[in-house]
Amino acid sequence: MPTAEERIAELRNIIREADRKYYVLDAPDLTDAQYDKFMAELKQLEAENPALVTADSPTQRVSGTPLQDFPSVRHTTKLLSLDNVFDLEGLRNFDKKIRDVFPEPAYETELKIDGLTVEVVYEDGVMVQASTRGDGVTGEDVTGNVRTIRSIPLRIPTELSRLEVRGEIYMPKDSFLRLNTECEEQGRAPFANPRNAAAGSLRQLNPAITASRDLSAFFYEIQFADGREFASQAEKINFLKQMGLPVNPRNALCRNIEEVWAKQEEFLAVRHDLPYDIDGVVVKLNDVSAQTALGETSRCPRWAIAYKFPAEEAETILEDVTLNVGRTGVIAPTAVLKPVQLAGSVISRATLHNFDYIAMKNLLIGDHVVICKAGDVIPEILRSLPDKRNGSEKAIPIPEHCPTCGSAAVRGNGEAAYRCINPDCPARLRESLRFFTTREAMDIEGMGPAVIDLLLEEKLIAGIADIYTLNMFQLVVLDRMGAKSAQNLLNAIAESKKRDLPRLITALGIRNVGTRTAQELCKHYTTMDSLMSATVEDLQKIGDIGPVVAESIVTFFADEGNRALIGRLKEYGVNMELYQQETLPQLLAGKTFVFTGTLSSMTRQEAGEIVRQLGGKVSSSIGPSVDFLVEGTSAGSKHDKAVTLGISILTEQEFLVMTGKEEAAPAQNEEPEQLPLF
Ligand code: IVH
């Protein structure tokens, strides 16, 4: 049995290391529940042995260490953390301490968004700085990046000389899934959960990368408002809303702690239906003067508490591992699990990523394993339970051959993945066909996986180009394919011939070339022929293209089979050129713009054309449905109206960055004095 002193030292080390992994490396190795348990034990031991409390204990400071990469920002008001409770009793204790002083407390109950804190400062209504929390006192300056988050206004309708607001930046679950697919396609390590993806996306030195990630935010706290007092938390939330800052619509005012508990149950029931992750609820005493009277400890307010939802983990058995061959030949292992109920669904499979991951997790077939839903979405094995082994477990063999065609499986230099070396592997062909027809590629409606399997089985197609040789006679005789669906499919195939060049390049499934890279390539190469004759050196002259991507492209086009494929596609009339209309990514879909004043790099008409090409609308007057006012020089009265309505106001430069016509300046140069907003 270790002494209290020894255990305290051990716990502090565990927590410090976990903090470093979580905050600095964005690669947590403990679950929240494990971390909370260690922290609770340390707090308990320190409470029992006050003489052992030291200033550097993790209980005595707000956790986190600022990264070195960004300029530091000293927060004028400390960004506090929250104490946690895990059950009704914990909540009642919190309530009891408050009722000892304030007999009838009302509480604002808010969703605890699982993202990362951001503080945004507005001076005279203009965003001048955004920073991460860091250690609560000093954070990182991420102004340039936060400015790329569309839901956070650059300007708000207030006369206050200084307003500091606090919120949570998050990545919606579906954007996280999309980003991870993209990462895997490009051979980059996927993010563990949406929180890490949000943190990784925000801490990018190049704001263009942040801008390309779908981040969003909810605001929940006013750190400082010069010359303005708020009587209650509800009033603060209301003010944030009036400022046009995103505020969670589910926040609710409760009359007592029992109502808070009922609200929490309501939130828990909808948790999995929400488009973003939450990990609990935050309960805040509503009355601000009572908050002030209660004050705070060195790291947490006494007037607020986080109730953390129970960790959703389940134990099951790893029954088998199946291998799937992807379109690039990557052999991906998937865990087959004894079906188990978790977070609202039955789980029978989990991704294992690659064979290094299997080794790192020390997994054997037959193991008892603990699973969770990473970021609430993808089932993942957290750990195996080696103590439960009985000797019958079997190692998971590293594949020497492709499970589909039996060709050699090899591991590329510096890669985690094993790949089938046979370019004609039927599994690769099937996946390539599937990918070619998907929405982000050639978008052939009606040609889903089942139809592709059927066409392959019936030997109507043996490669991508064969799609364009299909005819009515072949299709109508197929099972489950009537004349009408056959005609629809043929129409969709014919329609796909008109797709723009970036889609076709994406659809070819060139290694390391996803949608974004394809679009980037087409800014420089406007025909397939010109791209095909580009050298590695030529390609590397494009900003975003590094040596690996350039090499992949050149290797792809050097292959006889690939050249023949392109030749056939051309022959069947598939478009091989870039054309501008309707094919650009619809970045501005659903957004309405108004232009005012004189623009320096284009006419207002041209600017409007850019908006329309990107799926947005242009209006001539300011109204509630307008999202952005773009101001040139000598702008008139529209400005004041936009401010009153809380419409975001952009400079021409910001508009150009938003529409991808111009690179954003690097974060360090985004000082407000150098880049005035208006
Ligand atoms: S209030 C004094 N409200 O949870 C104010 N925090 O575990 C302290 N969080 O660092 C924060 N949603 O990053 C607050 N509605 C909410 C929140 C929230 C998420 C995060 C925040 C904080 C952490 C504490």
Side-chain angles (χ1 to χ4, degrees):
M1 223 7 217
T3 61
E5 195 167 358
E6 284 163 359
R7 182 65 181 155
I8 285 177
E10 188 181 347
L11 288 167
R12 285 177 186 165
N13 281 339
I14 295 172
I15 293 167
R16 285 191 190 115
E17 187 52 20
D19 276 348
R20 199 176 70 85
K21 292 207 168 118
Y22 188 89
Y23 287 102
V24 183
L25 308 178
D26 277 334
D29 62 347
L30 294 183
T31 62
D32 278 5
Q34 288 168 325
Y35 180 93
D36 293 338
K37 214 170 116 232
F38 287 128
M39 187 60 109
E41 187 187 346
L42 179 59
K43 276 189 196 163
Q44 174 76 23
L45 278 175
E46 288 186 348
E48 288 165 5
N49 303 278
L52 297 178
V53 178
T54 56
D56 67 351
S57 169
T59 59
Q60 300 303 302
R61 67 176 178 108
V62 187
S63 50
T65 315
L67 296 173
Q68 293 307 309
D69 305 347
F70 292 96
S72 293
V73 173
R74 227 184 138 73
H75 302 302
T76 46
T77 317
K78 188 169 175 178
L79 291 175
L80 296 169
S81 185
L82 289 172
D83 264 332
N84 296 316
V85 293
F86 304 95
D87 49 25
L88 178 56
E89 197 193 336
L91 266 188
R92 285 203 175 124
N93 285 341
F94 162 75
D95 174 53
K96 164 106 187 26
K97 282 193 203 136
I98 290 182
R99 274 190 297 108
D100 286 345
V101 196
F102 299 100
E104 285 189 350
Y107 296 110
E108 177 82 11
T109 307
E110 301 172 3
L111 294 185
K112 188 169 182 316
I113 312 296
D114 197 7
L116 66 154
T117 283
V118 67
E119 181 184 68
V120 182
V121 180
Y122 290 91
E123 277 178 8
D124 300 320
V126 177
M127 184 200 287
V128 292
Q129 187 174 69
S131 54
T132 63
R133 174 160 157 260
D135 63 4
V137 177
T138 310
E140 304 134 11
D141 186 332
V142 287
T143 314
N145 293 344
V146 168
R147 285 163 63 110
T148 69
I149 302 176
R150 307 254 168 100
S151 57
I152 306 182
L154 297 171
R155 221 191 140 111
I156 54 170
T158 178
E159 312 270 277
L160 295 179
S161 60
R162 188 172 171 93
L163 177 73
E164 300 173 7
V165 294
R166 175 174 178 177
E168 199 78 354
I169 293 200
Y170 66 92
M171 184 177 285
K173 293 178 193 172
D174 56 352
S175 311
F176 159 72
L177 289 178
R178 246 180 286 132
L179 176 62
N180 264 3
T181 312
E182 210 177 290
C183 286
E184 286 188 351
E185 253 172 51
Q186 295 171 358
R188 290 185 287 131
F191 291 98
N193 53 48
R195 200 207 75 84
N196 282 4
S201 303
L202 190 67
R203 290 175 177 155
Q204 290 285 343
L205 284 170
N206 176 2
I209 300 183
T210 312
S212 74
R213 307 272 173 88
D214 182 23
L215 294 177
S216 212
F218 285 122
F219 286 82
Y220 47 71
E221 197 58 52
I222 295 173
Q223 290 289 113
F224 176 77
D226 201 11
R228 167 96 200 227
E229 304 262 308
F230 297 93
S232 67
Q233 177 67 19
E235 195 184 313
K236 285 188 187 177
I237 294 281
N238 213 18
F239 179 77
L240 292 171
K241 217 185 288 179
Q242 278 170 11
M243 291 297 107
L245 288 155
V247 166
N248 194 284
R250 289 177 191 266
N251 295 345
L253 190 59
C254 299
R255 277 168 301 181
N256 53 50
I257 209 73
E258 304 307 319
E259 274 192 22
V260 169
W261 187 252
K263 209 19 111 195
Q264 167 282 129
E265 281 179 335
E266 205 181 282
F267 289 161
L268 190 56
V270 296
R271 178 182 188 183
H272 304 298
D273 303 325
L274 295 174
Y276 44 83
D277 273 350
I278 57 170
D279 60 344
V281 295
V282 180
V283 184
K284 296 174 183 170
L285 180 61
N286 191 41
D287 188 308
V288 169
S289 56
Q291 289 183 356
T292 315
L294 286 167
E296 63 215 32
T297 65
S298 63
R299 55 182 292 274
C300 301
R302 292 198 187 86
W303 45 266
I305 198 98
Y307 165 76
K308 295 283 274 289
F309 288 149
E312 292 194 283
E313 293 181 3
E315 189 180 321
T316 184
I317 291 173
L318 173 57
E319 292 186 326
D320 200 1
V321 172
T322 58
L323 301 176
N324 302 303
V325 186
R327 67 189 160 81
T328 54
V330 169
I331 302 174
T334 302
V336 180
L337 304 167
K338 184 165 175 226
V340 62
Q341 181 82 27
L342 174 70
S345 53
V346 175
I347 310 296
S348 56
R349 273 164 200 279
T351 170
L352 289 171
H353 301 295
N354 55 52
F355 288 86
D356 286 351
Y357 180 91
I358 293 176
M360 190 183 78
K361 296 262 169 182
N362 178 22
L363 299 175
L364 297 178
I365 291 173
D367 262 351
H368 286 252
V369 290
V370 177
I371 62 162
C372 70
K373 278 195 179 173
D376 224 355
V377 205
I378 317 168
E380 179 137 19
I381 295 185
L382 275 178
R383 59 188 173 276
S384 65
L385 300 171
D387 291 350
K388 295 201 172 179
R389 286 180 185 155
N390 61 15
S392 68
E393 296 76 17
K394 284 197 230 84
I396 301 166
I398 288 178
E400 287 173 12
H401 300 285
C402 168
T404 305
C405 71
S407 307
V410 295
R411 183 173 181 153
N413 256 351
E415 281 197 334
Y418 286 80
R419 291 178 195 263
C420 165
I421 56 159
N422 174 12
D424 301 321
C425 171
R428 291 182 64 169
L429 172 62
R430 188 160 141 250
E431 293 302 321
S432 303
L433 283 163
R434 284 186 180 188
F435 183 70
F436 188 84
T437 59
T438 51
R439 211 173 291 147
E440 66 265 46
M442 297 299 266
D443 193 12
I444 307 185
E445 212 184 317
M447 198 152 180
V451 171
I452 290 173
D453 286 351
L454 194 61
L455 295 171
L456 283 169
E457 246 167 62
E458 297 296 326
K459 305 214 168 8
L460 294 181
I461 54 174
I464 286 172
D466 296 339
I467 293 174
Y468 295 98
T469 64
L470 290 168
N471 62 44
M472 196 63 176
F473 299 107
Q474 294 170 317
L475 294 182
V476 279
V477 294
L478 292 175
D479 268 1
R480 300 184 300 278
M481 176 85 72
K484 190 156 174 18
S485 12
Q487 190 53 57
N488 287 344
L489 181 55
L490 288 173
N491 291 347
I493 291 171
E495 191 60 27
S496 77
K497 293 184 188 175
K498 300 184 209 152
R499 301 279 177 255
D500 203 359
L501 189 58
R503 275 176 179 274
L504 177 61
I505 294 171
T506 307
L508 292 174
I510 304 170
R511 248 164 91 179
N512 304 312
V513 179
T515 305
R516 295 192 68 78
T517 307
Q519 282 162 354
E520 199 54 41
L521 285 169
C522 291
K523 285 187 193 158
H524 303 264
Y525 298 96
T526 55
T527 66
M528 186 64 92
D529 286 339
S530 62
L531 180 63
M532 284 172 81
S533 52
T535 64
V536 171
E537 293 72 44
D538 295 338
L539 290 165
Q540 272 183 259
K541 288 190 193 126
I542 302 179
D544 281 4
I545 313 282
V548 176
V549 178
E551 193 68 53
S552 297
I553 297 168
V554 171
T555 311
F556 181 89
F557 289 120
D559 180 276
E560 268 315 307
N562 292 333
R563 294 181 82 86
L565 163 64
I566 289 161
R568 282 185 69 200
L569 292 176
K570 210 183 268 183
E571 189 185 314
Y572 298 138
V574 175
N575 172 57
M576 298 276 158
E577 286 177 18
L578 179 71
Y579 43 82
Q580 300 287 340
Q581 269 82 32
E582 81 195 23
T583 47
L584 293 174
Q586 301 295 286
L587 287 176
L588 306 180
K591 300 285 176 216
T592 303
F593 284 70
V594 171
F595 293 90
T596 184
T598 314
L599 303 177
S600 62
S601 61
M602 64 185 95
T603 64
R604 294 217 300 259
Q605 248 122 2
E606 283 164 344
E609 199 41 49
I610 294 178
V611 170
R612 279 186 284 269
Q613 281 177 8
L614 297 173
K617 285 199 208 118
V618 180
S619 164
S620 56
S621 60
I622 295 281
S625 60
V626 173
D627 299 285
F628 296 101
L629 174 68
V630 182
E631 282 184 347
T633 49
S634 47
S637 62
K638 290 197 169 91
H639 178 95
D640 290 346
K641 203 161 172 205
V643 171
T644 319
L645 289 173
I647 291 165
S648 296
I649 299 178
L650 303 176
T651 59
E652 182 176 349
Q653 157 81 13
E654 286 167 333
F655 170 72
L656 292 173
V657 171
M658 178 187 260
T659 51
K661 300 285 162 200
E662 206 167 300
E663 294 283 321
Q668 291 87 329
N669 299 337
E670 287 263 359
E671 294 296 330
E673 356 7 335
Q674 290 168 16
L675 188 68
L677 263 173
F678 55 106

